[in-house]
Amino acid sequence: DAGQEQLGARHCGSCGMLFAPGVPEDQLQHLRHHRRLREGLRHPGWKQERVVAEFWDGKIVLILPGDPRYALRKAQEVLELVDSELGFPGSSPGSLPDNFRIYLFVGTGKCILGCLLAQPIQQ
């Protein structure tokens, strides 16, 4: 790199993305990735949220199929983000599985730190 630190790939410590800071396209892609993570995992709180448990560092919120549209939309956003981070093929947007329960762990900073999708199974 001849002493130029901006050349070559770098691993971001906060999001885990590998990018080249000296390449404008990579830098832009990295900023978009950070913004998507930050906005997709924000939970401002709702008037009618179903809090299952509260802890010193956050709370667990349950989302069911009959909940208001804003809760289902947030659940879909989180699931799409989780699927893309895990490398699963994209599911059809706006579709949630039948008879589901989604538990979101919301930290004290109003950021979603954990997600659990539960479905009943017969076999």
Side-chain angles (χ1 to χ4, degrees):
D1 65 6
Q4 299 176 3
E5 296 179 9
Q6 295 297 319
L7 295 178
R10 191 173 285 186
H11 190 62
C12 179
S14 63
C15 72
M17 184 175 179
L18 186 66
F19 71 104
V23 179
E25 293 84 15
D26 270 9
Q27 186 70 18
L28 182 62
Q29 189 69 18
H30 181 238
L31 290 174
R32 284 183 185 157
H33 181 69
H34 264 283
R35 188 177 309 123
R36 185 179 60 128
L37 285 176
R38 189 173 53 246
E39 290 174 3
L41 297 177
R42 193 174 301 246
H43 178 71
W46 305 314
K47 289 181 181 178
Q48 298 177 352
E49 64 183 10
R50 193 176 292 108
V51 177
V52 178
E54 291 193 47
F55 305 97
W56 63 273
D57 59 344
K59 61 186 174 184
I60 298 175
V61 177
L62 173 63
I63 300 174
L64 296 173
D67 283 352
R69 185 175 288 167
Y70 56 83
L72 298 176
R73 196 171 28 244
K74 177 53 80 175
Q76 183 64 35
E77 287 175 17
V78 171
L79 289 178
E80 287 174 4
L81 182 65
V82 168
D83 285 349
S84 70
E85 288 297 310
L86 293 176
F88 292 141
S91 61
S92 59
S95 68
L96 289 168
D98 294 333
N99 202 9
F100 67 89
R101 289 175 172 252
I102 296 179
Y103 296 90
L104 300 177
F105 181 75
V106 181
T108 54
K110 298 189 179 203
C111 187
I112 298 172
L113 302 175
C115 173
L116 171 80
L117 170 66
Q119 289 180 276
I121 57 173
Q122 299 299 321
Q123 295 180 341

